[in-house]
Every structure is written in structure tokens, then in C-alpha cells.
Amino acid sequence: MRARTADYGMYTLAGLEPVIDDFWRRLARAFVAEGVRNVPRRLTRGRPTQMLWRDPALLFTQTCGYPMMHAFRHHLQPVTTPCYAVEGCNGPTYRSAIIVREDAQVWRPEGLAGKIAAVNGPHSQSGYNALRAYLAPHAAGGRFLSGVVTTGAHAASIKAVRDGKADVAAIDPVTFALHRRYAPDQVAGVRIMDWSAPCPGLPFATSHRTTADTLKRLRAGIQAVFADGDAAPTLEALMLTDTVTLSTADYAPVMEMEAGAVSLGYPTIA
């Protein structure tokens, strides 16, 4: 059997690697206890997601709902959707934080007309699809902003707003909360102006080729870790509280957000 891979790259921050590694060790032990074969001992780091998420040997990762429903719909399947104890999250659903500079005299979406948006990339639910749906009702002729800056990451979008290179960005609430706790200087000078519409959160996922039997065992292993009192400090450090099993069909709101923006004549953020 080809060596399997595991990744936990969605919510990483400098200094959190030991906590993430402990979380994986606990998951790996639980997966082995449930009879999952060939569980990797260590997480894969530094491998581009374009390659990682297409790997048929992928056992465990965390992905974004938008790419899972688009470019990777034939490569990934959800395992469970984690719940987080952060503002903007409610059970397995979440909203993007619409951020502006702290001193910006903008309080409603209409006030963002003619401003510059920072987006992490066009394939992001929290940083692009949610913002597009948020702005679409206020756009005219497919335009609303004066410019768009593509940053490649939520942290870079926060910095672009903080430094005045952009006026607004939509930020994943878990990313924002982790920065508030572990890197508060990086979110100093920005504030949450509003929240996007809710949608299902970022799922733990596996290769589409993972069998139904292994999928069942993965879910049981994840539940065992969340039920283990010894894991509580690690889970709290990552702001994790629970997981809920959602199917691919439950991620339909991601597609509905896109379709709604397109129907309003706003297919791209502009």
C-alpha cells in the first residue's frame, strides 16, 4: 500500500506547530485504534495544496468548502466539520469577518463603494466567495470597488488593510481569532465592521478514494479524541469544541452564494 499523507495546514500560526503536532499524534493513535491502516506518524508540511488535495493517498486534511465543491470535487470528500469557540462560528457553520481599518468611517456595506478590497484568492470561501456575495446586492453593472489586491493568504489580507494598501477584506473567523490570541499585534489597527452570511465551516476531509469503511473509522477516531479529557488543553489551544458530520450535499450553501452573486450580475469581485 502506498504511504498515506496527512496535513493540517489551514489554521497554522507561528508557535502553534507543537500544539498541531500533538493534535495529530492524538488523532493518529485514535485512527490506529479504530483499525485504520497505514496512518502516517507525522504531518506533511510545505506541500502545495494543489498537489496534496489531489493525492489519492491523502488520509486526512482540512479544506475549504469552496474548493471542495469546485476544483477538488472529484478529489476530496468531507469527514467531519469541526466546531470552534470563536466569534463568527455557530456549531458547524461560520461567517467571514468583514474587516476595515479601526479609524475607517465605514459602518455599512454601502460605504465600501469605490474602496479597495484585499482577497486571499478567487478559490477561497471565506476570503472571496463570502465577500462577493456580501457586496453583490450593492454593485451596479458588475462593479462596486475601485480595485482588488490579491494577497495569497488571510494574514496578508489583514496586513494589507492594516497598512492602508486595501480598505476591506473578508477574513476567516478562526484565523482572526487565532491572531487575536497568539499574534495580537498583527490585527491591531483593524476592526470587524460586519459579518458575511453563514455557511458550513471548513471540513476535515480525505481523498475521494478513501473507502466508506475507512471513512467510518476516521469519524470514530475523531470523536474519540474530542471525547478524551486529556486532549482538552490541545483542543482549547486550537479553539476546537466538537465535530459534526456533514455530507457534500450540506455544502450546497457555498454554491448558492456563488449563484446568487452571479444572478445579481456580480460574478467577480470588482
Side-chain angles (χ1 to χ4, degrees), residues 66 118-125 127-129 149-154 157 269:
Y66 189 80
V119 299
N120 55 347
H123 305 296
S124 168
Q125 167 58 34
Y128 193 94
N129 194 35
V149 176
T150 301
T151 67
H154 279 301
S157 293
I269 295 177

Side-chain angles (χ1 to χ4, degrees), residues 134-254:
Y134 180 80
L135 298 177
H138 311 285
R143 295 201 65 85
F144 182 70
L145 305 164
S146 64
V148 179
V149 176
T150 301
T151 67
H154 279 301
S157 293
I158 294 170
K159 186 177 187 299
V161 173
R162 189 187 68 214
D163 294 349
K165 296 179 180 178
D167 301 295
V168 62
I171 305 298
D172 178 286
V174 179
T175 297
F176 199 77
L178 288 171
H179 278 77
R180 271 180 167 170
R181 178 184 289 188
Y182 297 110
D185 58 309
Q186 295 184 29
V187 293
V190 303
R191 63 176 172 86
I192 298 173
M193 185 200 80
D194 203 356
W195 295 92
S196 74
C199 73
L202 281 67
F204 294 146
T206 187
S207 168
H208 206 271
R209 296 191 185 182
T210 298
T211 66
D213 178 69
T214 299
L215 184 62
K216 181 180 178 180
R217 295 173 191 272
L218 291 175
R219 287 171 174 158
I222 292 169
Q223 288 297 333
V225 170
F226 276 79
D228 181 3
D230 289 342
T234 296
L235 297 176
E236 196 281 330
L238 296 173
M239 302 184 177
L240 289 161
T241 60
D242 198 2
T243 64
V244 175
T245 299
L246 299 181
S247 68
T248 300
D250 291 320
Y251 279 81
V254 169

Side-chain angles (χ1 to χ4, degrees), residues 5-26:
T5 58
D7 158 77
Y8 190 86
M10 294 303 294
Y11 294 129
T12 59
L13 203 62
L16 272 182
E17 292 89 349
V19 178
I20 291 170
D21 285 341
D22 183 69
F23 182 47
W24 174 247
R25 282 192 293 269
R26 293 175 183 278

Side-chain angles (χ1 to χ4, degrees), residues 29-179:
R29 286 198 300 266
F31 293 156
V32 170
E34 291 295 334
V36 179
R37 298 174 59 197
N38 204 20
V39 177
R41 295 178 60 188
R42 295 181 179 84
L43 291 167
T44 297
R45 286 192 168 99
R47 189 178 179 190
T49 55
Q50 294 288 328
M51 296 174 58
L52 184 77
W53 290 347
R54 286 187 169 89
D55 188 349
L58 179 64
L59 180 68
F60 179 90
T61 188
Q62 187 170 23
T63 187
C64 178
Y66 189 80
M68 185 180 72
M69 299 296 287
H70 270 273
F72 298 93
R73 65 187 181 277
H74 299 305
H75 301 278
L76 294 173
Q77 59 179 318
V79 181
T80 65
T81 299
C83 307
Y84 293 88
V86 305
E87 184 183 16
C89 293
N90 181 19
T93 68
Y94 79 131
R95 300 172 183 261
S96 292
I98 310 299
I99 67 163
V100 297
R101 283 186 297 283
E102 202 165 50
D103 59 357
Q105 298 303 303
V106 181
W107 308 98
R108 297 177 59 82
E110 297 89 340
L112 296 170
K115 304 295 185 181
I116 297 173
V119 299
N120 55 347
H123 305 296
S124 168
Q125 167 58 34
S126 52
Y128 193 94
N129 194 35
L131 182 62
R132 174 173 53 190
Y134 180 80
L135 298 177
H138 311 285
R143 295 201 65 85
F144 182 70
L145 305 164
S146 64
V148 179
V149 176
T150 301
T151 67
H154 279 301
S157 293
I158 294 170
K159 186 177 187 299
V161 173
R162 189 187 68 214
D163 294 349
K165 296 179 180 178
D167 301 295
V168 62
I171 305 298
D172 178 286
V174 179
T175 297
F176 199 77
L178 288 171
H179 278 77

